[in-house]
Amino acid sequence: MVLVRAIAAGDRAGWQVLYDGYHRFYERPDLPQDFFDAAFARLNGGDFHGVVAEDGGRLVGLAHYVFHPNLWRPEGVCYLQDLFTASDLRGKGVGRALIEAVYQAADAAGVPTVYWLTAEDNYAGRMLYDRVGRRTPFIRYMRPV
């Protein structure tokens, strides 16, 4: 049985394995240790929030989210920034449980709108997202760097 709970200071090592896996999934180059140190610190004392999925004492999934203002929604919105499940547990409900935990956190904060992005070719993830969310017609652009 997978337990989903708020991230805690003692999750540091297991969280980093998962977060590194997340970045490798999206083919980001190797990230320095100080990147992980800063990200974990922000999850444990900043504006960002995190939940983890645990199975038999092992962390098997993570979700990071942040609340932010929105001119269209006076209550603000919740951006689910990162979602990752260990490869050996994909398709077993971990991702759904993590998304539902973020939904619950948003509801508790009085923020009903939760949104996220994914890669167009993330077909396995999109199969889940089509069941737990509604796809929007928007296309993302960003400033060239």
Side-chain angles (χ1 to χ4, degrees):
M1 180 74 170
V2 172
L3 168 70
V4 176
R5 59 174 174 75
I7 196 165
D11 296 328
R12 178 70 174 79
W15 168 87
Q16 183 167 331
V17 170
L18 290 169
Y19 202 40
D20 183 55
Y22 172 81
H23 286 281
R24 290 180 187 281
F25 178 84
Y26 283 110
E27 299 177 357
R28 291 197 63 200
D30 290 338
L31 297 168
Q33 185 60 45
D34 62 345
F35 168 83
F36 294 102
D37 295 341
F40 196 75
R42 291 173 76 191
L43 284 167
N44 286 281
D47 293 329
F48 290 87
H49 307 277
V51 290
V52 291
E54 185 177 356
D55 182 35
R58 172 182 162 226
L59 294 188
V60 296
L62 60 76
H64 304 146
Y65 58 98
V66 62
F67 297 105
H68 67 84
N70 184 290
L71 286 174
W72 296 3
R73 307 240 182 242
E75 68 278 6
V77 296
C78 178
Y79 175 49
L80 195 171
Q81 183 169 349
D82 305 315
L83 177 71
F84 186 75
T85 300
S87 60
D88 61 315
L89 288 181
R90 291 191 188 134
K92 299 189 187 309
V94 176
R96 176 186 289 271
L98 288 163
I99 292 170
E100 288 174 355
V102 174
Y103 284 174
Q104 289 172 1
D107 288 344
V111 178
T113 301
V114 177
Y115 73 99
W116 63 94
L117 306 169
T118 194
E120 188 173 356
D121 64 352
N122 182 7
Y123 300 113
R126 288 177 56 194
M127 287 173 51
L128 168 63
Y129 307 153
D130 286 344
R131 290 192 301 272
V132 299
R134 180 181 52 83
R135 184 178 171 192
T136 71
F138 289 91
I139 299 170
R140 179 181 180 216
Y141 287 87
M142 59 190 292
R143 178 181 179 183
V145 181

